[in-house]
Amino acid sequence: MSGAFTTPRRLLLAGASALLVRPSLAQGRYPDRAIRVLVPWTPGGATDIQMRSLCEQAARRLGQPVIVENKPGASGTLGALHMAREARPDGYTLGQMPNGVFRMPAMQERPQWDPTRDFSWIIRLVGYMGGVVVRPDAPWRTMQELVAHARAHPGRLNYGTPGANTTDIQMTRLARLAGIDWQAVPFRGAAPNLQALLSGDIHFSAETSAWADMALEGRVRPLGVWMSERARRFPDVPTFREAGYDVLGESTYGIAGPRGMDPQVVRILHDAFREALFDPVHLATVARFDMPVRYLNTEDYATAAMMQNEEERRTVRELGLRLS
């Protein structure tokens, strides 16, 4: 007799649970207020400018403001930390997801989040162009000259990065290949990194494409890029591989939210951000920084994220990267 009442009761509980995990749609049309997008870098860098352009176009599609909130520090992972620990999966808190989101947990004895289960992957967007730049009055005009100087003066050269365990990964690989010793100086984003270069506080910068406009203006001189091919606007700047160093530093990023987001909300966000990604205004922004479009839909991005997680774990083991 008791079994006869079990099934309806279970169905009722299951229905109630379904309502609890779908608050956005149960309470009205999504979105009905502003959406916050966490960008874990300082204002003014390539990622910040690109994301602001993207969010402006997405807001036109969503009918609500899409507000960028900068959370710099911790190698670009403070946004991911907030989403994993504090944010509700209601679609109103999202984040830009750089490589550090995968690399940081692999470096920690007790990871603060798990990239394979703590996020809802929404859309992959673009990739980075980046490389080494020096001041115009620097004595080095090629990567070979810089490497030769570093080899002759071990431990004497220092370079800036936008954060610990970011672009210093490429430079560590290069140092091992070339048998040199130089010191990384991490900053909280591209803007302070490049400012330190202009001020003469560091010898060179290993930075993403935030230096592109400065290079066109003659304020910095690029020596090499860690891409698979030369940047379109800098055809005279060789890749690291062309310079004789088998180092490739291409990376991509996208947008995710906290785990447990309603699939319908994810679909709405994906569609709006995809239209924004290919909007001519946004495409002009990424062209300004030579950032290639690397679009993936929600399902494919989730798969790529799992693969990237394994790749970053291998990198950490290979280079012996551990947080003290």
Side-chain angles (χ1 to χ4, degrees):
M1 185 71 174
S2 60
F5 294 96
T6 301
T7 300
R9 174 180 172 81
R10 287 179 177 172
L11 289 173
L12 180 62
L13 290 174
S17 298
L19 290 175
L20 288 175
V21 299
R22 289 176 169 80
S24 298
L25 299 182
Q27 295 174 8
R29 180 188 178 277
Y30 173 86
D32 61 7
R33 62 182 187 273
I35 297 169
R36 185 171 57 144
V37 178
L38 307 178
V39 174
W41 310 104
T42 53
T47 307
D48 175 70
I49 293 172
Q50 178 272 320
M51 288 297 297
R52 288 179 185 275
S53 174
L54 180 82
C55 290
E56 181 179 350
Q57 295 305 317
R60 296 173 183 268
R61 277 78 178 177
L62 292 165
Q64 293 290 340
V66 181
I67 302 169
V68 167
E69 179 180 321
N70 297 95
K71 294 182 78 69
S75 303
T77 61
L78 291 183
L81 178 62
H82 178 82
M83 288 195 297
R85 287 190 167 188
E86 301 179 39
R88 298 177 59 188
D90 55 9
Y92 292 99
T93 301
L94 311 174
Q96 182 255 350
M97 306 295 275
N99 276 6
V101 170
F102 306 96
R103 187 175 299 146
M104 186 69 76
M107 297 171 59
Q108 296 173 323
E109 184 177 345
R110 296 181 179 179
Q112 296 176 291
W113 64 86
D114 183 344
T116 66
R117 63 183 179 88
D118 284 341
F119 306 110
S120 299
W121 303 96
I122 297 171
I123 181 173
R124 195 173 79 177
L125 300 169
V126 297
Y128 282 116
M129 185 276 282
V132 167
V133 294
V134 298
R135 291 182 5 155
D137 58 355
W140 319 289
R141 304 197 68 83
T142 66
M143 281 300 299
Q144 291 92 335
E145 291 179 359
L146 176 63
V147 168
H149 184 98
R151 188 181 291 121
H153 302 84
R156 298 289 297 276
L157 292 188
N158 55 47
Y159 64 92
T161 75
N165 302 305
T166 56
T167 57
D168 53 320
I169 301 300
Q170 290 90 307
M171 304 313 294
T172 299
R173 290 187 186 276
L174 175 55
R176 291 194 176 187
L177 285 173
I180 55 181
D181 176 25
W182 47 30
Q183 304 299 318
V185 181
F187 293 92
R188 297 181 67 182
N193 180 18
L194 293 170
Q195 183 57 48
L197 175 65
L198 297 179
S199 301
D201 296 330
I202 53 178
H203 293 101
F204 65 93
S205 285
E207 182 55 77
T208 56
S209 54
W211 50 259
D213 285 351
M214 298 170 63
L216 293 173
E217 296 166 359
R219 299 170 62 197
V220 299
R221 183 169 66 238
L223 300 185
V225 294
W226 47 62
M227 312 297 291
S228 57
E229 58 188 21
R230 298 191 182 196
R232 180 181 57 84
R233 291 191 300 163
F234 301 96
D236 296 330
V237 180
T239 67
F240 277 24
R241 285 178 170 176
E242 289 176 320
Y245 314 110
D246 189 16
V247 175
L248 184 65
E250 292 183 339
S251 61
T252 59
Y253 64 82
I255 294 175
R259 67 177 175 180
M261 288 180 60
D262 189 305
Q264 294 184 58
V265 171
V266 170
R267 184 170 63 252
I268 290 170
L269 289 167
H270 166 272
D271 293 350
F273 278 108
R274 185 186 184 281
E275 288 187 20
L277 175 65
F278 291 100
D279 187 281
V281 173
H282 176 259
L283 290 177
T285 300
V286 297
R288 173 183 167 191
F289 296 106
D290 295 278
M291 302 172 80
V293 173
R294 294 289 186 258
Y295 164 74
L296 286 179
N297 63 28
T298 298
E299 181 179 357
D300 291 342
Y301 185 30
T303 300
M306 301 307 103
M307 296 173 62
Q308 188 171 356
N309 185 59
E310 289 303 313
E311 180 180 340
E312 291 298 332
R313 292 175 68 87
R314 287 194 297 270
T315 297
V316 167
R317 290 194 298 268
E318 174 191 344
L319 298 182
L321 304 174
R322 287 290 174 183
L323 293 179
S324 57

